[in-house]
Amino acid sequence: EVQTISLTSPNNSNESLHCQVGFFHLQYNASKVLLHSNVTDIEFSNAVGQLIGQDKVTVSRELNKGNGQCSIKWTVTFPLKFGRAYLLQVVSDSSVCGSTATQHPQCNIPFKHYVQPTTYALDYWKGSSCLMPWSHVFNISRVIPGYSPLSGSIELQLDETNTLKLDVNNLHSNLEAAFLDQAGYTDSSVRTLQGSDDFLHE
């Protein structure tokens, strides 16, 4: 899965460098970590790895400045076979807004500073952090969704009286063992076919 986190300053020449100043809490599910807005790609990668409890997270960082605007984009690639991830999010930290609340409308929403689990279904989030000393916006998108791992069981009806119920994990070995236990199927074998759009092969 791939997600992007973009931090953008307003189109104001006086604030064109501000996207490199300040802190924010990056949140995944119900966990958060404090990061500086000028965090490197490696530091961002380590932070996401800490949040998800796995390593092999890769992050690229892109900084753009010009025309009175500043933006930083981190592209996060989750580990192979990680499956579908929760959407990353930035905690509003509205409890520290104080006089900056007018700069960050999200800070006026009660109780947003409490860490709530991030969304598993949605693909986009937009908001701000009251820890930042300047006006800004975070845009977070799920660019390439991961696939949720299979779970549960399937039922395979052999005939009118025999039905096999199999766990989808290790389906190949489970299916072969189940067939060998059935009268009349003791000489059976199971082959796994892997396919693309154009062909199947053993």
Side-chain angles (χ1 to χ4, degrees):
E1 175 158 322
V2 178
Q3 297 183 21
T4 58
I5 299 91
S6 297
L7 168 61
T8 307
S9 73
N11 191 14
N12 184 324
S13 59
N14 294 326
E15 299 190 3
S16 62
L17 299 179
H18 281 186
C19 67
Q20 295 176 266
V21 178
F23 291 86
F24 64 93
H25 278 116
L26 183 68
Q27 180 183 343
Y28 179 86
N29 197 1
S31 300
K32 65 178 182 178
V33 63
L34 184 66
L35 295 174
H36 192 276
S37 59
N38 203 30
V39 63
T40 67
D41 50 358
I42 296 176
E43 292 168 335
F44 205 105
S45 172
N46 291 337
V48 176
Q50 175 185 335
L51 289 171
I52 69 174
Q54 292 192 27
D55 54 7
K56 298 184 179 178
V57 177
T58 58
V59 174
S60 63
R61 179 181 181 271
E62 180 182 345
L63 172 65
N64 292 298
K65 294 183 291 185
N67 299 321
Q69 193 172 44
C70 176
S71 67
I72 304 175
K73 182 172 75 171
W74 298 274
T75 300
V76 179
T77 302
F78 287 80
L80 186 66
K81 297 183 180 181
F82 183 78
R84 187 175 181 88
Y86 284 89
L87 189 66
L88 291 165
Q89 188 172 313
V90 172
V91 182
S92 69
D93 282 301
S94 58
S95 61
V96 299
C97 278
S99 61
T100 65
T102 55
Q103 285 186 298
H104 310 299
Q106 185 183 3
C107 294
N108 293 319
I109 302 174
F111 312 118
K112 289 294 287 186
H113 59 283
Y114 293 111
V115 177
Q116 303 288 339
T118 55
T119 177
Y120 190 73
L122 298 183
D123 296 326
Y124 178 75
W125 180 89
K126 180 179 180 179
S128 59
S129 168
C130 288
L131 297 181
M132 292 286 196
W134 47 274
S135 299
H136 65 281
V137 64
F138 282 94
N139 290 280
I140 301 179
S141 300
R142 192 191 309 272
V143 180
I144 302 176
Y147 292 96
S148 300
L150 291 174
S151 61
S153 61
I154 62 171
E155 290 188 358
L156 178 63
Q157 186 170 351
L158 299 179
D159 50 45
E160 294 181 355
T161 59
N162 294 314
T163 300
L164 302 178
K165 186 173 182 179
L166 305 167
D167 190 332
V168 296
N169 294 307
N170 300 316
L171 185 59
H172 181 283
S173 58
N174 292 340
L175 186 59
E176 188 165 55
F179 267 114
L180 294 177
D181 285 340
Q182 298 294 318
Y185 293 92
T186 54
D187 294 329
S188 300
S189 63
V190 176
R191 294 179 296 176
T192 300
L193 297 179
Q194 297 176 332
S196 69
D197 293 338
D198 301 319
F199 64 92
L200 292 173
H201 66 277
E202 238 179 87

